[in-house]
Amino acid sequence: QVQLVESGGGLVQAGGSLRLSCAASGRTFSSYAMGWFRQAPGKEREFAATINWNNGNTYYADTVKGRFTISKDNAKNTVYLQMNSLKPEDTAVYYCAKTMYRSSWYVAKRADEYDYWGQGTQVTVSS
């Protein structure tokens, strides 16, 4: 059974930074990818970033590119999302998730391409 546990959310002023963590357990994640999504009140869940567990390849949504950095620590089975230059529109519940299938090249950007999800962590950016 895969378990994903996010942490690191909170309240921050615009222009500030936060680092989210996603601790993964329950199986090997070799060749899978991990993603970060976010969901604001009244809006659909939105892709933010993804990283391949094996080769470290990353991909970002245009809305966060240049401000957010996704990374991983294989030894700790943990994925991170460093968020800088935060804006009020970044306010959302942030979720980490694991892709359904293994691939070293495919970039999964849809929520239905991920099968395990964490419980989410709230990020609030005040203006």
Side-chain angles (χ1 to χ4, degrees):
Q1 181 71 10
V2 172
Q3 265 201 316
L4 303 175
V5 180
E6 301 100 334
S7 61
L11 173 64
V12 64
Q13 288 190 330
S17 299
L18 282 174
R19 188 176 82 154
L20 306 182
S21 299
C22 172
S25 62
R27 66 166 299 158
T28 177
F29 296 90
S30 176
S31 296
Y32 290 94
M34 300 293 292
W36 283 98
F37 286 74
R38 62 187 186 181
Q39 189 165 19
K43 294 190 176 181
E44 289 192 356
R45 195 163 294 192
E46 174 191 40
F47 169 79
T50 185
I51 186 166
N52 185 278
W53 204 271
N54 266 16
N55 58 31
N57 286 349
T58 59
Y59 185 88
Y60 299 90
D62 287 343
T63 50
V64 308
K65 195 178 297 182
R67 300 186 299 122
F68 291 10
T69 302
I70 188 171
S71 62
K72 61 183 178 67
D73 183 330
N74 285 26
K76 295 182 178 179
N77 257 14
T78 299
V79 176
Y80 303 97
L81 187 68
Q82 177 67 44
M83 305 185 296
N84 299 329
S85 302
L86 283 162
K87 306 174 182 179
E89 51 264 44
D90 294 318
T91 295
V93 177
Y94 283 70
Y95 299 90
C96 70
K98 169 197 152 295
T99 53
M100 286 182 180
Y101 34 74
R102 292 175 168 174
S103 175
S104 60
W105 57 270
Y106 180 74
V107 178
K109 293 176 280 184
R110 299 195 323 264
D112 62 5
E113 296 178 303
Y114 292 77
D115 55 358
Y116 286 96
W117 294 80
Q119 82 288 351
T121 186
Q122 177 71 47
V123 171
T124 303
V125 184
S126 63
S127 56

